[in-house]
Amino acid sequence: IISNLEGRNQYRESVYVNANTGKVIEAISEIAHTSVEGIAITKYYGEQSIITDSLEANLYVLRDYTRGEGIITLNGSLDDFTDEDNFWDNFGNKEEVGTDAHYCASAYYDYMLDEFNWVGLDGDSSELRSRVYGDERNTVNATWNGRYSTFFSGDCDEYGPLTTLDVVGHEFAHGFKIG
């Protein structure tokens, strides 16, 4: 059993290895995710249905494991956005833009699947991971760093948070892995 149950990248797997060759035969996750439908009051798209992960009673995070290896939306500190009732109406410190990014990543995933039969970031189910800043970084930018997209909160004067569908789709397009 291989595990890391601390921090944001939690896993616990039973790994079966061929004793003669040392090759991994199979790795089975022992952490059960419970995907549930929630409601998000987004900044740009109003009320939307989203899929979240229920970690325990009264604890939901912006992780959707019904789409490929997942759509994971983290805050600027790379920690999970959390909610107690799965009705995401969080409006302090621009927290609602986390649900905008989560909703848009899901819409982008669905569009690529429906229109191009493209699954995940690489066409082979890999996750779509977002880092979303609220008030922590008032910067007009969105980026792709080779592993995940980052969406900043805008400058408060002219530009709002950069978590619209066109920006989210654009940043994930930087991550296409073909071949």
Side-chain angles (χ1 to χ4, degrees), residues 7-92:
R8 13 179 208 278
N9 298 315
Q10 296 182 3
Y11 61 89
R12 181 178 172 93
E13 295 180 322
S14 290
V15 179
Y16 298 92
V17 179
N18 181 311
N20 294 321
T21 66
K23 185 176 179 177
V24 174
I25 299 168
E26 186 172 19
I28 301 171
S29 176
E30 293 187 358
I31 293 182
H33 299 284
T34 305
S35 296
V36 294
E37 188 173 319
I39 299 294
I41 307 300
T42 67
K43 178 174 183 65
Y44 296 115
Y45 303 100
E47 185 176 304
Q48 296 294 329
S49 293
I50 58 172
I51 302 295
T52 63
D53 192 9
S54 175
L55 300 181
E56 60 188 52
N58 302 319
L59 181 59
Y60 301 89
V61 294
L62 293 178
R63 292 176 178 246
D64 173 356
Y65 292 105
T66 67
R67 292 173 168 96
E69 291 179 16
I71 294 174
I72 299 168
T73 308
L74 305 171
N75 66 23
S77 301
L78 292 175
D79 293 319
D80 283 302
F81 284 97
T82 62
D83 194 76
E84 294 179 355
D85 59 5
N86 212 20
F87 183 79
W88 297 78
D89 58 346
N90 312 317
F91 292 107

